[in-house]
Amino acid sequence: MKHYLVTGGAGFIGANYVKYILKKHSDIQLVILDDLTYAGNLGTIRDNLKDPRVEFVKGNIVDPQIVKSIFEKHPIDFTVNFAAESHVDRSIENPQLFLQTNILGTQNLLDTAKKFWAVGTDEKGYPVYREGVKYLQVSTDEVYGSLGETGYFTEKTPLDPRSPYSASKTGADLIVVAYSETYKMPVNITRCSNNYGPYHFPEKLIPLIIKNILEGKKLPVYGDGSNVRDWLYVEDHCKAVDLVLLQGRTGEVYNIGGHNEMKNIDIVKLTIATVRKLMEENPEYRKALKPASLSVTDLNRINNDLITFVKDRLGHDHRYAIDPAKITGELGWYPETKFADGIVKTIRWYLENQDWVEEVTSGDYQKYYEQMYGNR
Ligand code: NAD
Ligand code: TDX
């Protein structure tokens, strides 16, 4: 029996990971720690909270008391840290919150785990830890900076973050390395590319575009749309995190990417075409239009004229692309979901789960949208 502490488990990737491990491993106990910021939603894990293996704690990863109380109550073996401020655009508006959550939160989780996991010291004074414990930091390819037209990020690529978000994630990674070197803590860092799939908050490109198409709103593409991202289906990412946690070599970094590079403009055009095709094929999906309409002629409004090129993101990284050779070679992982299939699955999910979209955008979302896009 393994006891997990999963932070950020009410967010996009964390929730998908919670669902994945609960299905995959019967013999586990899970504490989910999440502060339920705008990006966290209990509705996303509503069914999982009924599982007797799961306990939910609302709290901030920066708070030493909360994290300590979890370790006091449960014999935690694994800490998997998904909790973070995750949106680059928000980091440009409010960098300090990103440094607090992403750097100090990581340090607090490491420090608490170190205290509870240490069972003694060796002859040189390094802590010795309970057998089988590990801390896994979920990081991002953005720590490597931006690529030109060619080349890939490998685990040896120098860290070169450009945005407040990526700088904060880099700071967190360096703290993890410091705990690994200075205190010999058993850790892994995973660095993945852009995830997509169910439960993605509609401030990020793909879910925002889907939402706007359904509402007949313009689709904002930053700059000229030529920036490239390497898209990874979220469940493939969750499988990789599970593998690294259970089988990854302690102290190692693993890059997780899809070999699936696409320009933003092509993502937007493909999303438009797919929403339209699914609605043409299945009138039920047309109910997701706002206002709802079953008329096939209303689908004519779903076309590329919805695209609007807006002011570019400040410091917009040009291209990300991951070389996943290390995790493939060592752990046999590869991105199983082809983008052509993953994007259809994702769009279907959004068309079928408009209640979820309404629930997570019922708070400050409208205000955020006006602030972010009003003057672009
Ligand atoms: P998300 O924004 O959807 O979810 C973050 C979750 O963390 C939310 O549930 C939120 O409530 C919680 N949280 C935020 N601050 C907290 C705090 N101080 N204490 C406790 N909980 C807090 O993010 P995501 O897209 O699921 O990303 C998860 C992790 O993966 C992040 O560390 C992110 O940097 C990393 N990542 C994401 C992507 C991506 O494409 N989404 C790619 C690479 C890396
Ligand atoms: O409205 C938009 N228009 C647009 O052109 C939005 C929201 C985004 N974009 C562009 C910016 C990026 O080039 O689309 C691309 C993807 O943008 P985001 O979805 O905001 O993702 P990105 O900035 O690439 O960062 C994501 O991947 C790496 C996650 O949000 C990070 O948490 C992760 O570390």
Side-chain angles (χ1 to χ4, degrees):
M1 162 83 78
K2 287 288 186 187
H3 291 256
Y4 287 64
L5 169 58
V6 177
T7 67
F12 165 45
I13 307 175
N16 276 284
Y17 175 76
V18 163
K19 292 172 195 298
Y20 178 77
I21 59 170
L22 285 171
K23 212 157 148 193
K24 171 126 195 258
H25 308 290
S26 52
D27 201 18
I28 61 175
Q29 288 287 327
L30 203 61
V31 180
I32 299 170
L33 173 62
D34 197 298
D35 210 18
L36 300 179
T37 68
Y38 77 92
N41 192 282
L42 278 185
T44 306
I45 49 170
R46 191 172 286 131
D47 289 346
N48 310 107
L49 298 180
K50 294 180 196 142
D51 190 317
R53 295 172 293 168
V54 177
E55 180 175 322
F56 179 81
V57 177
K58 181 187 173 331
N60 193 327
I61 56 166
V62 178
D63 180 347
Q65 286 312 318
I66 287 270
V67 181
K68 183 171 167 237
S69 67
I70 292 171
F71 276 81
E72 276 169 353
K73 189 167 166 205
H74 304 271
I76 300 294
D77 301 293
F78 297 140
T79 301
V80 185
N81 182 25
F82 290 96
E85 287 294 334
S86 69
H87 193 32
V88 175
D89 291 331
R90 289 183 192 254
S91 83
I92 295 167
E93 301 299 316
N94 182 8
Q96 197 174 74
L97 176 62
F98 282 67
L99 304 196
Q100 275 161 358
T101 293
N102 298 356
I103 301 180
L104 296 180
T106 297
Q107 187 269 336
N108 183 41
L109 291 169
L110 283 161
D111 213 53
T112 310
K114 174 168 94 54
K115 283 179 190 141
F116 280 83
W117 289 346
V119 288
T121 43
D122 70 10
E123 66 286 356
K124 288 186 176 152
Y126 289 110
V128 174
Y129 298 96
R130 174 154 61 81
E131 186 86 7
V133 296
K134 194 187 263 184
Y135 176 96
L136 189 147
Q137 176 75 1
V138 178
S139 182
T140 169
D141 57 2
E142 298 197 18
V143 299
Y144 297 122
S146 180
L147 291 164
E149 296 311 320
T150 58
Y152 295 95
F153 297 134
T154 74
E155 291 78 0
K156 295 200 169 78
T157 303
L159 303 180
D160 186 22
R162 309 300 180 94
S163 71
Y165 163 73
S166 54
S168 71
K169 292 294 289 185
T170 307
D173 283 12
L174 293 177
I175 288 292
V176 177
V177 172
Y179 272 70
S180 168
E181 292 294 329
T182 306
Y183 309 114
K184 299 281 177 247
M185 263 189 86
V187 302
N188 281 124
I189 297 173
T190 56
R191 296 187 179 134
C192 66
S193 57
N194 285 57
N195 284 222
Y196 70 103
Y199 305 108
H200 204 180
F201 191 77
E203 65 184 350
K204 309 282 167 52
L205 180 67
I206 291 178
L208 184 129
I209 293 301
I210 299 171
K211 186 172 188 295
N212 281 15
I213 292 173
L214 297 180
E215 292 173 7
K217 283 193 188 153
K218 286 289 184 188
L219 313 179
V221 173
Y222 298 166
D224 63 3
S226 66
N227 301 68
V228 173
R229 298 293 182 264
D230 173 2
W231 294 92
L232 172 67
Y233 192 62
V234 64
E235 195 174 80
D236 288 339
H237 179 207
C238 295
K239 277 182 197 167
V241 171
D242 181 60
L243 270 176
V244 171
L245 183 70
L246 299 179
Q247 296 174 36
R249 283 187 294 133
T250 300
E252 293 291 311
V253 175
Y254 292 91
N255 284 355
I256 308 168
H259 267 317
N260 178 44
E261 291 176 49
M262 284 183 70
K263 285 186 180 160
N264 293 340
I265 186 68
D266 294 331
I267 289 281
V268 174
K269 286 182 178 166
L270 180 65
T271 305
I272 296 169
T274 310
V275 170
R276 181 158 177 166
K277 183 162 176 286
L278 289 173
M279 288 193 174
E280 279 167 355
E281 287 168 2
N282 183 350
E284 276 299 298
Y285 286 144
R286 293 178 211 159
K287 289 183 182 162
L289 288 170
K290 311 274 184 291
S293 166
L294 290 181
S295 156
V296 78
T297 49
D298 271 359
L299 302 185
N300 290 336
R301 75 171 203 224
I302 304 178
N303 64 52
N304 290 349
D305 290 345
L306 289 173
I307 296 171
T308 173
F309 292 95
V310 300
K311 206 163 95 202
D312 210 353
R313 174 184 279 173
L314 300 180
H316 196 174
D317 287 342
H318 178 62
R319 173 173 165 258
Y320 305 142
I322 274 195
D323 176 2
K326 179 171 173 180
I327 186 167
T328 302
E330 287 188 19
L331 303 177
W333 178 91
Y334 68 99
E336 287 170 48
T337 310
K338 296 212 167 30
F339 190 75
D341 301 329
I343 192 72
V344 173
K345 273 208 266 189
T346 302
I347 293 173
R348 267 187 213 283
W349 186 88
Y350 278 91
L351 296 179
E352 290 166 7
N353 288 278
Q354 282 297 298
D355 289 356
W356 180 87
V357 176
E358 273 154 36
E359 194 175 332
V360 301
T361 54
S362 63
D364 281 343
Y365 183 83
Q366 205 48 45
K367 205 166 109 202
Y368 164 81
Y369 195 87
E370 288 307 318
Q371 266 170 8
M372 200 57 84
Y373 295 95
N375 295 322
R376 266 197 143 112

